[in-house]
Amino acid sequence: MNIRKTVLYLVAALAVLTLLAGCRISFSFSGASIHPDAKTVSIAYIPNNAPMVAPLLSPTLTDAIKDRFQRQTRLTEVPENGDIAIEGEITGYTSTPSSISTLADGSDGAVRNRLTITVKIRINNVYEPHYNVNDRSFSAYLDYDSNQLLTEVENSLIPEIVDMLVDDIFNAAVANW
């Protein structure tokens, strides 16, 4: 009877192993879930089409997206037609009051301002088209003291806001969020 159980367990184990041999499982510590056949990514230059323009925003954003894919995926960057293709444009770069208070003279005024950057992104995933994104807007912002001019703080705010945008774009492209 023990031999019969042992043979039955071996047959069951072989059946399970045979089934699993045909499966591919992709795992990554970055949270990326990339189809095993995907080998390349293309990231087009992200132009700044916002009414108000920060000169270094386009190259900063484009380079940050490329850097994230290089550091956190196994994909090789190609100039165009990647297995995952990302393109888009900056559609908003605005500074607006975020906190208003009564000033010493009795009038209302901004105490804090908010720099908001908005991008519209398209993602084409050849192997997993159900994860494609068409003209999805991503926005991120940071507040700054209203006593400062935007030109005084934008060089420190832009990299932080770009990091937040890149997180969201990366997650939409390969983390399926």
Side-chain angles (χ1 to χ4, degrees), residues 48-58 89-96 114-119 138-140 144 149-159 161-162 165:
N48 194 338
N49 295 331
M52 189 165 87
V53 175
L56 295 179
L57 181 55
S58 288
E89 65 214 331
I90 299 164
T91 58
Y93 183 84
T94 58
S95 178
T96 56
R114 175 169 293 168
L115 176 61
T116 304
I117 300 173
T118 305
V119 295
F138 296 88
S139 288
Y144 62 97
L149 296 173
L150 177 60
T151 55
E152 295 172 337
V153 297
E154 66 185 346
N155 286 340
S156 64
L157 296 178
I158 287 174
I161 296 172
V162 163
L165 290 168

PDB file of all heavy atoms in Angstrom, residues 48-58 89-96 114-119 138-140 144 149-159 161-162 165:
ATOM      1  N   ASN A  48       7.108  70.655 -24.275  1.00  0.00           N
ATOM      2  CA  ASN A  48       6.347  71.502 -23.367  1.00  0.00           C
ATOM      3  C   ASN A  48       5.386  72.349 -24.190  1.00  0.00           C
ATOM      4  O   ASN A  48       5.785  73.317 -24.827  1.00  0.00           O
ATOM      5  CB  ASN A  48       7.281  72.390 -22.545  1.00  0.00           C
ATOM      6  CG  ASN A  48       6.577  73.028 -21.381  1.00  0.00           C
ATOM      7  OD1 ASN A  48       5.353  73.163 -21.370  1.00  0.00           O
ATOM      8  ND2 ASN A  48       7.335  73.444 -20.389  1.00  0.00           N
ATOM      9  N   ASN A  49       4.109  71.976 -24.164  1.00  0.00           N
ATOM     10  CA  ASN A  49       3.077  72.706 -24.883  1.00  0.00           C
ATOM     11  C   ASN A  49       2.174  73.491 -23.930  1.00  0.00           C
ATOM     12  O   ASN A  49       1.077  73.878 -24.290  1.00  0.00           O
ATOM     13  CB  ASN A  49       2.231  71.730 -25.713  1.00  0.00           C
ATOM     14  CG  ASN A  49       3.051  71.077 -26.812  1.00  0.00           C
ATOM     15  OD1 ASN A  49       4.012  71.644 -27.314  1.00  0.00           O
ATOM     16  ND2 ASN A  49       2.704  69.859 -27.174  1.00  0.00           N
ATOM     17  N   ALA A  50       2.651  73.718 -22.716  1.00  0.00           N
ATOM     18  CA  ALA A  50       1.884  74.488 -21.736  1.00  0.00           C
ATOM     19  C   ALA A  50       1.949  75.972 -22.089  1.00  0.00           C
ATOM     20  O   ALA A  50       2.915  76.428 -22.706  1.00  0.00           O
ATOM     21  CB  ALA A  50       2.452  74.264 -20.338  1.00  0.00           C
ATOM     22  N   PRO A  51       0.926  76.740 -21.705  1.00  0.00           N
ATOM     23  CA  PRO A  51       0.960  78.185 -21.972  1.00  0.00           C
ATOM     24  C   PRO A  51       2.147  78.884 -21.303  1.00  0.00           C
ATOM     25  O   PRO A  51       2.736  79.797 -21.863  1.00  0.00           O
ATOM     26  CB  PRO A  51      -0.361  78.690 -21.386  1.00  0.00           C
ATOM     27  CG  PRO A  51      -1.268  77.498 -21.386  1.00  0.00           C
ATOM     28  CD  PRO A  51      -0.371  76.316 -21.165  1.00  0.00           C
ATOM     29  N   MET A  52       2.525  78.440 -20.097  1.00  0.00           N
ATOM     30  CA  MET A  52       3.696  78.977 -19.421  1.00  0.00           C
ATOM     31  C   MET A  52       4.778  77.903 -19.475  1.00  0.00           C
ATOM     32  O   MET A  52       4.517  76.747 -19.147  1.00  0.00           O
ATOM     33  CB  MET A  52       3.348  79.319 -17.970  1.00  0.00           C
ATOM     34  CG  MET A  52       4.423  80.085 -17.253  1.00  0.00           C
ATOM     35  SD  MET A  52       3.845  80.844 -15.714  1.00  0.00           S
ATOM     36  CE  MET A  52       4.090  79.514 -14.554  1.00  0.00           C
ATOM     37  N   VAL A  53       5.978  78.274 -19.904  1.00  0.00           N
ATOM     38  CA  VAL A  53       7.019  77.280 -20.170  1.00  0.00           C
ATOM     39  C   VAL A  53       8.221  77.478 -19.256  1.00  0.00           C
ATOM     40  O   VAL A  53       8.710  78.593 -19.099  1.00  0.00           O
ATOM     41  CB  VAL A  53       7.473  77.365 -21.651  1.00  0.00           C
ATOM     42  CG1 VAL A  53       8.639  76.444 -21.923  1.00  0.00           C
ATOM     43  CG2 VAL A  53       6.310  77.057 -22.575  1.00  0.00           C
ATOM     44  N   ALA A  54       8.680  76.373 -18.673  1.00  0.00           N
ATOM     45  CA  ALA A  54       9.969  76.349 -17.966  1.00  0.00           C
ATOM     46  C   ALA A  54      10.949  75.677 -18.918  1.00  0.00           C
ATOM     47  O   ALA A  54      10.739  74.531 -19.316  1.00  0.00           O
ATOM     48  CB  ALA A  54       9.850  75.572 -16.669  1.00  0.00           C
ATOM     49  N   PRO A  55      12.005  76.366 -19.316  1.00  0.00           N
ATOM     50  CA  PRO A  55      12.893  75.858 -20.372  1.00  0.00           C
ATOM     51  C   PRO A  55      13.471  74.459 -20.151  1.00  0.00           C
ATOM     52  O   PRO A  55      13.609  73.695 -21.088  1.00  0.00           O
ATOM     53  CB  PRO A  55      14.006  76.896 -20.435  1.00  0.00           C
ATOM     54  CG  PRO A  55      13.419  78.132 -19.862  1.00  0.00           C
ATOM     55  CD  PRO A  55      12.422  77.677 -18.839  1.00  0.00           C
ATOM     56  N   LEU A  56      13.802  74.098 -18.920  1.00  0.00           N
ATOM     57  CA  LEU A  56      14.448  72.810 -18.688  1.00  0.00           C
ATOM     58  C   LEU A  56      13.475  71.690 -18.324  1.00  0.00           C
ATOM     59  O   LEU A  56      13.900  70.564 -18.081  1.00  0.00           O
ATOM     60  CB  LEU A  56      15.504  72.944 -17.584  1.00  0.00           C
ATOM     61  CG  LEU A  56      16.682  73.851 -17.941  1.00  0.00           C
ATOM     62  CD1 LEU A  56      17.655  73.949 -16.778  1.00  0.00           C
ATOM     63  CD2 LEU A  56      17.399  73.348 -19.181  1.00  0.00           C
ATOM     64  N   LEU A  57      12.185  71.979 -18.300  1.00  0.00           N
ATOM     65  CA  LEU A  57      11.220  70.981 -17.867  1.00  0.00           C
ATOM     66  C   LEU A  57      11.145  69.793 -18.831  1.00  0.00           C
ATOM     67  O   LEU A  57      11.147  68.637 -18.394  1.00  0.00           O
ATOM     68  CB  LEU A  57       9.835  71.612 -17.683  1.00  0.00           C
ATOM     69  CG  LEU A  57       8.734  70.690 -17.199  1.00  0.00           C
ATOM     70  CD1 LEU A  57       9.117  69.988 -15.906  1.00  0.00           C
ATOM     71  CD2 LEU A  57       7.436  71.485 -17.013  1.00  0.00           C
ATOM     72  N   SER A  58      11.074  70.040 -20.125  1.00  0.00           N
ATOM     73  CA  SER A  58      10.974  68.942 -21.096  1.00  0.00           C
ATOM     74  C   SER A  58      12.142  67.965 -21.015  1.00  0.00           C
ATOM     75  O   SER A  58      11.928  66.760 -20.882  1.00  0.00           O
ATOM     76  CB  SER A  58      10.840  69.485 -22.521  1.00  0.00           C
ATOM     77  OG  SER A  58       9.571  70.034 -22.709  1.00  0.00           O
ATOM     78  N   GLU A  89       3.115  64.954 -23.841  1.00  0.00           N
ATOM     79  CA  GLU A  89       3.435  66.375 -23.870  1.00  0.00           C
ATOM     80  C   GLU A  89       3.086  66.990 -22.519  1.00  0.00           C
ATOM     81  O   GLU A  89       2.221  66.488 -21.802  1.00  0.00           O
ATOM     82  CB  GLU A  89       2.646  67.060 -24.973  1.00  0.00           C
ATOM     83  CG  GLU A  89       1.143  67.039 -24.725  1.00  0.00           C
ATOM     84  CD  GLU A  89       0.343  66.927 -26.001  1.00  0.00           C
ATOM     85  OE1 GLU A  89       0.803  67.384 -27.040  1.00  0.00           O
ATOM     86  OE2 GLU A  89      -0.749  66.378 -25.924  1.00  0.00           O
ATOM     87  N   ILE A  90       3.789  68.041 -22.203  1.00  0.00           N
ATOM     88  CA  ILE A  90       3.475  68.811 -20.998  1.00  0.00           C
ATOM     89  C   ILE A  90       2.352  69.752 -21.389  1.00  0.00           C
ATOM     90  O   ILE A  90       2.479  70.518 -22.350  1.00  0.00           O
ATOM     91  CB  ILE A  90       4.713  69.574 -20.502  1.00  0.00           C
ATOM     92  CG1 ILE A  90       5.815  68.577 -20.145  1.00  0.00           C
ATOM     93  CG2 ILE A  90       4.356  70.471 -19.319  1.00  0.00           C
ATOM     94  CD1 ILE A  90       7.192  69.194 -20.004  1.00  0.00           C
ATOM     95  N   THR A  91       1.244  69.687 -20.678  1.00  0.00           N
ATOM     96  CA  THR A  91       0.079  70.500 -21.026  1.00  0.00           C
ATOM     97  C   THR A  91      -0.195  71.608 -20.022  1.00  0.00           C
ATOM     98  O   THR A  91      -0.970  72.512 -20.300  1.00  0.00           O
ATOM     99  CB  THR A  91      -1.177  69.620 -21.164  1.00  0.00           C
ATOM    100  OG1 THR A  91      -1.379  68.923 -19.933  1.00  0.00           O
ATOM    101  CG2 THR A  91      -1.031  68.638 -22.315  1.00  0.00           C
ATOM    102  N   GLY A  92       0.427  71.527 -18.851  1.00  0.00           N
ATOM    103  CA  GLY A  92       0.192  72.553 -17.845  1.00  0.00           C
ATOM    104  C   GLY A  92       1.399  72.799 -16.975  1.00  0.00           C
ATOM    105  O   GLY A  92       2.087  71.871 -16.550  1.00  0.00           O
ATOM    106  N   TYR A  93       1.655  74.070 -16.735  1.00  0.00           N
ATOM    107  CA  TYR A  93       2.700  74.513 -15.822  1.00  0.00           C
ATOM    108  C   TYR A  93       2.158  75.792 -15.203  1.00  0.00           C
ATOM    109  O   TYR A  93       2.200  76.857 -15.816  1.00  0.00           O
ATOM    110  CB  TYR A  93       4.000  74.771 -16.596  1.00  0.00           C
ATOM    111  CG  TYR A  93       5.169  75.172 -15.719  1.00  0.00           C
ATOM    112  CD1 TYR A  93       5.940  74.211 -15.086  1.00  0.00           C
ATOM    113  CD2 TYR A  93       5.504  76.515 -15.531  1.00  0.00           C
ATOM    114  CE1 TYR A  93       7.015  74.558 -14.287  1.00  0.00           C
ATOM    115  CE2 TYR A  93       6.572  76.880 -14.730  1.00  0.00           C
ATOM    116  CZ  TYR A  93       7.317  75.897 -14.116  1.00  0.00           C
ATOM    117  OH  TYR A  93       8.384  76.243 -13.318  1.00  0.00           O
ATOM    118  N   THR A  94       1.561  75.657 -14.011  1.00  0.00           N
ATOM    119  CA  THR A  94       0.856  76.795 -13.432  1.00  0.00           C
ATOM    120  C   THR A  94       1.257  77.029 -11.985  1.00  0.00           C
ATOM    121  O   THR A  94       1.558  76.088 -11.246  1.00  0.00           O
ATOM    122  CB  THR A  94      -0.670  76.589 -13.475  1.00  0.00           C
ATOM    123  OG1 THR A  94      -0.995  75.392 -12.760  1.00  0.00           O
ATOM    124  CG2 THR A  94      -1.190  76.479 -14.897  1.00  0.00           C
ATOM    125  N   SER A  95       1.226  78.283 -11.601  1.00  0.00           N
ATOM    126  CA  SER A  95       1.425  78.676 -10.210  1.00  0.00           C
ATOM    127  C   SER A  95       0.163  79.404  -9.778  1.00  0.00           C
ATOM    128  O   SER A  95      -0.207  80.423 -10.368  1.00  0.00           O
ATOM    129  CB  SER A  95       2.647  79.591 -10.085  1.00  0.00           C
ATOM    130  OG  SER A  95       2.800  79.997  -8.741  1.00  0.00           O
ATOM    131  N   THR A  96      -0.496  78.866  -8.754  1.00  0.00           N
ATOM    132  CA  THR A  96      -1.746  79.436  -8.271  1.00  0.00           C
ATOM    133  C   THR A  96      -1.706  79.540  -6.747  1.00  0.00           C
ATOM    134  O   THR A  96      -0.997  78.782  -6.095  1.00  0.00           O
ATOM    135  CB  THR A  96      -2.950  78.566  -8.679  1.00  0.00           C
ATOM    136  OG1 THR A  96      -2.735  77.239  -8.187  1.00  0.00           O
ATOM    137  CG2 THR A  96      -3.119  78.517 -10.194  1.00  0.00           C
ATOM    138  N   ARG A 114       1.047  77.301  -5.225  1.00  0.00           N
ATOM    139  CA  ARG A 114       1.194  75.911  -5.642  1.00  0.00           C
ATOM    140  C   ARG A 114       1.669  75.866  -7.088  1.00  0.00           C
ATOM    141  O   ARG A 114       1.025  76.415  -7.981  1.00  0.00           O
ATOM    142  CB  ARG A 114      -0.154  75.197  -5.517  1.00  0.00           C
ATOM    143  CG  ARG A 114      -0.153  73.772  -6.040  1.00  0.00           C
ATOM    144  CD  ARG A 114      -1.411  73.060  -5.654  1.00  0.00           C
ATOM    145  NE  ARG A 114      -1.382  72.901  -4.189  1.00  0.00           N
ATOM    146  CZ  ARG A 114      -2.423  72.517  -3.470  1.00  0.00           C
ATOM    147  NH1 ARG A 114      -3.584  72.274  -4.036  1.00  0.00           N
ATOM    148  NH2 ARG A 114      -2.314  72.382  -2.166  1.00  0.00           N
ATOM    149  N   LEU A 115       2.794  75.185  -7.299  1.00  0.00           N
ATOM    150  CA  LEU A 115       3.265  74.921  -8.662  1.00  0.00           C
ATOM    151  C   LEU A 115       2.739  73.549  -9.073  1.00  0.00           C
ATOM    152  O   LEU A 115       3.010  72.553  -8.409  1.00  0.00           O
ATOM    153  CB  LEU A 115       4.793  74.936  -8.741  1.00  0.00           C
ATOM    154  CG  LEU A 115       5.381  74.568 -10.111  1.00  0.00           C
ATOM    155  CD1 LEU A 115       4.922  75.543 -11.194  1.00  0.00           C
ATOM    156  CD2 LEU A 115       6.906  74.515 -10.040  1.00  0.00           C
ATOM    157  N   THR A 116       1.959  73.518 -10.146  1.00  0.00           N
ATOM    158  CA  THR A 116       1.371  72.285 -10.658  1.00  0.00           C
ATOM    159  C   THR A 116       1.894  72.030 -12.065  1.00  0.00           C
ATOM    160  O   THR A 116       1.879  72.934 -12.905  1.00  0.00           O
ATOM    161  CB  THR A 116      -0.171  72.372 -10.691  1.00  0.00           C
ATOM    162  OG1 THR A 116      -0.648  72.692  -9.387  1.00  0.00           O
ATOM    163  CG2 THR A 116      -0.787  71.058 -11.172  1.00  0.00           C
ATOM    164  N   ILE A 117       2.330  70.808 -12.301  1.00  0.00           N
ATOM    165  CA  ILE A 117       2.759  70.391 -13.647  1.00  0.00           C
ATOM    166  C   ILE A 117       1.839  69.264 -14.085  1.00  0.00           C
ATOM    167  O   ILE A 117       1.610  68.310 -13.345  1.00  0.00           O
ATOM    168  CB  ILE A 117       4.226  69.923 -13.661  1.00  0.00           C
ATOM    169  CG1 ILE A 117       5.148  71.061 -13.195  1.00  0.00           C
ATOM    170  CG2 ILE A 117       4.625  69.430 -15.054  1.00  0.00           C
ATOM    171  CD1 ILE A 117       6.602  70.654 -13.014  1.00  0.00           C
ATOM    172  N   THR A 118       1.303  69.386 -15.304  1.00  0.00           N
ATOM    173  CA  THR A 118       0.402  68.379 -15.864  1.00  0.00           C
ATOM    174  C   THR A 118       0.980  67.881 -17.182  1.00  0.00           C
ATOM    175  O   THR A 118       1.429  68.684 -18.006  1.00  0.00           O
ATOM    176  CB  THR A 118      -1.006  68.967 -16.093  1.00  0.00           C
ATOM    177  OG1 THR A 118      -1.488  69.512 -14.869  1.00  0.00           O
ATOM    178  CG2 THR A 118      -1.979  67.917 -16.612  1.00  0.00           C
ATOM    179  N   VAL A 119       0.976  66.574 -17.356  1.00  0.00           N
ATOM    180  CA  VAL A 119       1.417  65.973 -18.614  1.00  0.00           C
ATOM    181  C   VAL A 119       0.328  65.045 -19.139  1.00  0.00           C
ATOM    182  O   VAL A 119      -0.418  64.449 -18.370  1.00  0.00           O
ATOM    183  CB  VAL A 119       2.744  65.189 -18.458  1.00  0.00           C
ATOM    184  CG1 VAL A 119       3.874  66.115 -18.094  1.00  0.00           C
ATOM    185  CG2 VAL A 119       2.628  64.087 -17.450  1.00  0.00           C
ATOM    186  N   PHE A 138      -1.589  63.255 -16.120  1.00  0.00           N
ATOM    187  CA  PHE A 138      -0.954  63.055 -14.834  1.00  0.00           C
ATOM    188  C   PHE A 138      -0.578  64.434 -14.305  1.00  0.00           C
ATOM    189  O   PHE A 138      -0.007  65.236 -15.046  1.00  0.00           O
ATOM    190  CB  PHE A 138       0.323  62.212 -14.970  1.00  0.00           C
ATOM    191  CG  PHE A 138       0.081  60.812 -15.460  1.00  0.00           C
ATOM    192  CD1 PHE A 138       0.044  60.532 -16.815  1.00  0.00           C
ATOM    193  CD2 PHE A 138      -0.090  59.772 -14.555  1.00  0.00           C
ATOM    194  CE1 PHE A 138      -0.173  59.235 -17.269  1.00  0.00           C
ATOM    195  CE2 PHE A 138      -0.303  58.475 -15.004  1.00  0.00           C
ATOM    196  CZ  PHE A 138      -0.347  58.208 -16.361  1.00  0.00           C
ATOM    197  N   SER A 139      -0.891  64.712 -13.059  1.00  0.00           N
ATOM    198  CA  SER A 139      -0.546  65.999 -12.441  1.00  0.00           C
ATOM    199  C   SER A 139       0.135  65.768 -11.106  1.00  0.00           C
ATOM    200  O   SER A 139      -0.189  64.817 -10.398  1.00  0.00           O
ATOM    201  CB  SER A 139      -1.795  66.848 -12.208  1.00  0.00           C
ATOM    202  OG  SER A 139      -2.300  67.345 -13.405  1.00  0.00           O
ATOM    203  N   ALA A 140       1.030  66.676 -10.788  1.00  0.00           N
ATOM    204  CA  ALA A 140       1.675  66.664  -9.476  1.00  0.00           C
ATOM    205  C   ALA A 140       1.977  68.117  -9.117  1.00  0.00           C
ATOM    206  O   ALA A 140       2.126  68.969  -9.999  1.00  0.00           O
ATOM    207  CB  ALA A 140       2.948  65.826  -9.502  1.00  0.00           C
ATOM    208  N   TYR A 144       4.721  76.419  -2.188  1.00  0.00           N
ATOM    209  CA  TYR A 144       5.861  77.222  -1.770  1.00  0.00           C
ATOM    210  C   TYR A 144       5.355  78.538  -1.178  1.00  0.00           C
ATOM    211  O   TYR A 144       4.213  78.941  -1.395  1.00  0.00           O
ATOM    212  CB  TYR A 144       6.836  77.459  -2.931  1.00  0.00           C
ATOM    213  CG  TYR A 144       6.264  78.220  -4.110  1.00  0.00           C
ATOM    214  CD1 TYR A 144       6.464  79.596  -4.234  1.00  0.00           C
ATOM    215  CD2 TYR A 144       5.530  77.572  -5.098  1.00  0.00           C
ATOM    216  CE1 TYR A 144       5.946  80.297  -5.312  1.00  0.00           C
ATOM    217  CE2 TYR A 144       5.021  78.257  -6.181  1.00  0.00           C
ATOM    218  CZ  TYR A 144       5.222  79.627  -6.282  1.00  0.00           C
ATOM    219  OH  TYR A 144       4.705  80.320  -7.344  1.00  0.00           O
ATOM    220  N   LEU A 149       9.326  84.370  -5.307  1.00  0.00           N
ATOM    221  CA  LEU A 149       8.919  84.344  -6.709  1.00  0.00           C
ATOM    222  C   LEU A 149       9.071  82.929  -7.251  1.00  0.00           C
ATOM    223  O   LEU A 149       9.953  82.178  -6.811  1.00  0.00           O
ATOM    224  CB  LEU A 149       9.788  85.298  -7.531  1.00  0.00           C
ATOM    225  CG  LEU A 149       9.693  86.785  -7.191  1.00  0.00           C
ATOM    226  CD1 LEU A 149      10.748  87.567  -7.967  1.00  0.00           C
ATOM    227  CD2 LEU A 149       8.299  87.306  -7.475  1.00  0.00           C
ATOM    228  N   LEU A 150       8.242  82.576  -8.225  1.00  0.00           N
ATOM    229  CA  LEU A 150       8.342  81.252  -8.846  1.00  0.00           C
ATOM    230  C   LEU A 150       9.749  81.022  -9.396  1.00  0.00           C
ATOM    231  O   LEU A 150      10.312  79.937  -9.249  1.00  0.00           O
ATOM    232  CB  LEU A 150       7.296  81.087  -9.949  1.00  0.00           C
ATOM    233  CG  LEU A 150       7.348  79.782 -10.727  1.00  0.00           C
ATOM    234  CD1 LEU A 150       7.154  78.588  -9.793  1.00  0.00           C
ATOM    235  CD2 LEU A 150       6.293  79.781 -11.828  1.00  0.00           C
ATOM    236  N   THR A 151      10.334  82.048 -10.001  1.00  0.00           N
ATOM    237  CA  THR A 151      11.674  81.904 -10.572  1.00  0.00           C
ATOM    238  C   THR A 151      12.726  81.590  -9.512  1.00  0.00           C
ATOM    239  O   THR A 151      13.770  81.031  -9.820  1.00  0.00           O
ATOM    240  CB  THR A 151      12.084  83.173 -11.335  1.00  0.00           C
ATOM    241  OG1 THR A 151      11.962  84.311 -10.457  1.00  0.00           O
ATOM    242  CG2 THR A 151      11.220  83.374 -12.576  1.00  0.00           C
ATOM    243  N   GLU A 152      12.443  81.937  -8.243  1.00  0.00           N
ATOM    244  CA  GLU A 152      13.380  81.650  -7.161  1.00  0.00           C
ATOM    245  C   GLU A 152      13.300  80.197  -6.691  1.00  0.00           C
ATOM    246  O   GLU A 152      14.282  79.661  -6.173  1.00  0.00           O
ATOM    247  CB  GLU A 152      13.102  82.555  -5.953  1.00  0.00           C
ATOM    248  CG  GLU A 152      13.339  84.019  -6.208  1.00  0.00           C
ATOM    249  CD  GLU A 152      12.872  84.889  -5.049  1.00  0.00           C
ATOM    250  OE1 GLU A 152      12.004  84.466  -4.252  1.00  0.00           O
ATOM    251  OE2 GLU A 152      13.395  86.014  -4.940  1.00  0.00           O
ATOM    252  N   VAL A 153      12.132  79.564  -6.858  1.00  0.00           N
ATOM    253  CA  VAL A 153      11.933  78.225  -6.291  1.00  0.00           C
ATOM    254  C   VAL A 153      11.779  77.116  -7.336  1.00  0.00           C
ATOM    255  O   VAL A 153      11.884  75.944  -6.996  1.00  0.00           O
ATOM    256  CB  VAL A 153      10.707  78.199  -5.347  1.00  0.00           C
ATOM    257  CG1 VAL A 153      10.937  79.116  -4.156  1.00  0.00           C
ATOM    258  CG2 VAL A 153       9.436  78.562  -6.081  1.00  0.00           C
ATOM    259  N   GLU A 154      11.542  77.470  -8.588  1.00  0.00           N
ATOM    260  CA  GLU A 154      11.234  76.420  -9.561  1.00  0.00           C
ATOM    261  C   GLU A 154      12.386  75.449  -9.787  1.00  0.00           C
ATOM    262  O   GLU A 154      12.154  74.270 -10.041  1.00  0.00           O
ATOM    263  CB  GLU A 154      10.723  77.000 -10.885  1.00  0.00           C
ATOM    264  CG  GLU A 154      11.702  77.807 -11.669  1.00  0.00           C
ATOM    265  CD  GLU A 154      11.081  78.433 -12.906  1.00  0.00           C
ATOM    266  OE1 GLU A 154       9.968  78.050 -13.325  1.00  0.00           O
ATOM    267  OE2 GLU A 154      11.726  79.326 -13.472  1.00  0.00           O
ATOM    268  N   ASN A 155      13.623  75.885  -9.663  1.00  0.00           N
ATOM    269  CA  ASN A 155      14.748  74.968  -9.859  1.00  0.00           C
ATOM    270  C   ASN A 155      14.805  73.881  -8.790  1.00  0.00           C
ATOM    271  O   ASN A 155      15.351  72.806  -9.030  1.00  0.00           O
ATOM    272  CB  ASN A 155      16.071  75.724  -9.910  1.00  0.00           C
ATOM    273  CG  ASN A 155      16.244  76.482 -11.214  1.00  0.00           C
ATOM    274  OD1 ASN A 155      15.587  76.182 -12.207  1.00  0.00           O
ATOM    275  ND2 ASN A 155      17.100  77.486 -11.202  1.00  0.00           N
ATOM    276  N   SER A 156      14.264  74.148  -7.618  1.00  0.00           N
ATOM    277  CA  SER A 156      14.220  73.111  -6.584  1.00  0.00           C
ATOM    278  C   SER A 156      12.903  72.339  -6.624  1.00  0.00           C
ATOM    279  O   SER A 156      12.866  71.157  -6.271  1.00  0.00           O
ATOM    280  CB  SER A 156      14.444  73.715  -5.198  1.00  0.00           C
ATOM    281  OG  SER A 156      13.396  74.603  -4.873  1.00  0.00           O
ATOM    282  N   LEU A 157      11.817  72.972  -7.060  1.00  0.00           N
ATOM    283  CA  LEU A 157      10.513  72.304  -7.096  1.00  0.00           C
ATOM    284  C   LEU A 157      10.367  71.353  -8.284  1.00  0.00           C
ATOM    285  O   LEU A 157       9.792  70.272  -8.148  1.00  0.00           O
ATOM    286  CB  LEU A 157       9.375  73.330  -7.124  1.00  0.00           C
ATOM    287  CG  LEU A 157       9.223  74.229  -5.900  1.00  0.00           C
ATOM    288  CD1 LEU A 157       8.081  75.218  -6.112  1.00  0.00           C
ATOM    289  CD2 LEU A 157       8.991  73.413  -4.648  1.00  0.00           C
ATOM    290  N   ILE A 158      10.870  71.758  -9.441  1.00  0.00           N
ATOM    291  CA  ILE A 158      10.678  70.952 -10.662  1.00  0.00           C
ATOM    292  C   ILE A 158      11.204  69.526 -10.507  1.00  0.00           C
ATOM    293  O   ILE A 158      10.486  68.576 -10.813  1.00  0.00           O
ATOM    294  CB  ILE A 158      11.271  71.663 -11.902  1.00  0.00           C
ATOM    295  CG1 ILE A 158      10.378  72.851 -12.277  1.00  0.00           C
ATOM    296  CG2 ILE A 158      11.404  70.702 -13.084  1.00  0.00           C
ATOM    297  CD1 ILE A 158      10.926  73.724 -13.395  1.00  0.00           C
ATOM    298  N   PRO A 159      12.431  69.299 -10.023  1.00  0.00           N
ATOM    299  CA  PRO A 159      12.894  67.908  -9.892  1.00  0.00           C
ATOM    300  C   PRO A 159      12.010  67.068  -8.970  1.00  0.00           C
ATOM    301  O   PRO A 159      11.766  65.888  -9.239  1.00  0.00           O
ATOM    302  CB  PRO A 159      14.310  68.046  -9.323  1.00  0.00           C
ATOM    303  CG  PRO A 159      14.749  69.416  -9.704  1.00  0.00           C
ATOM    304  CD  PRO A 159      13.501  70.252  -9.689  1.00  0.00           C
ATOM    305  N   ILE A 161       8.740  67.527  -8.343  1.00  0.00           N
ATOM    306  CA  ILE A 161       7.465  67.282  -9.023  1.00  0.00           C
ATOM    307  C   ILE A 161       7.659  66.265 -10.143  1.00  0.00           C
ATOM    308  O   ILE A 161       6.837  65.364 -10.336  1.00  0.00           O
ATOM    309  CB  ILE A 161       6.854  68.599  -9.558  1.00  0.00           C
ATOM    310  CG1 ILE A 161       6.510  69.527  -8.387  1.00  0.00           C
ATOM    311  CG2 ILE A 161       5.620  68.321 -10.405  1.00  0.00           C
ATOM    312  CD1 ILE A 161       6.086  70.931  -8.794  1.00  0.00           C
ATOM    313  N   VAL A 162       8.754  66.375 -10.874  1.00  0.00           N
ATOM    314  CA  VAL A 162       9.057  65.416 -11.944  1.00  0.00           C
ATOM    315  C   VAL A 162       9.168  64.010 -11.367  1.00  0.00           C
ATOM    316  O   VAL A 162       8.659  63.048 -11.952  1.00  0.00           O
ATOM    317  CB  VAL A 162      10.329  65.833 -12.716  1.00  0.00           C
ATOM    318  CG1 VAL A 162      10.891  64.671 -13.533  1.00  0.00           C
ATOM    319  CG2 VAL A 162      10.025  67.017 -13.622  1.00  0.00           C
ATOM    320  N   LEU A 165       5.716  62.685 -10.932  1.00  0.00           N
ATOM    321  CA  LEU A 165       5.109  62.360 -12.232  1.00  0.00           C
ATOM    322  C   LEU A 165       5.691  61.070 -12.797  1.00  0.00           C
ATOM    323  O   LEU A 165       4.954  60.224 -13.314  1.00  0.00           O
ATOM    324  CB  LEU A 165       5.322  63.510 -13.220  1.00  0.00           C
ATOM    325  CG  LEU A 165       4.535  64.783 -12.941  1.00  0.00           C
ATOM    326  CD1 LEU A 165       5.041  65.926 -13.808  1.00  0.00           C
ATOM    327  CD2 LEU A 165       3.047  64.551 -13.163  1.00  0.00           C
TER     328      LEU A 165
END
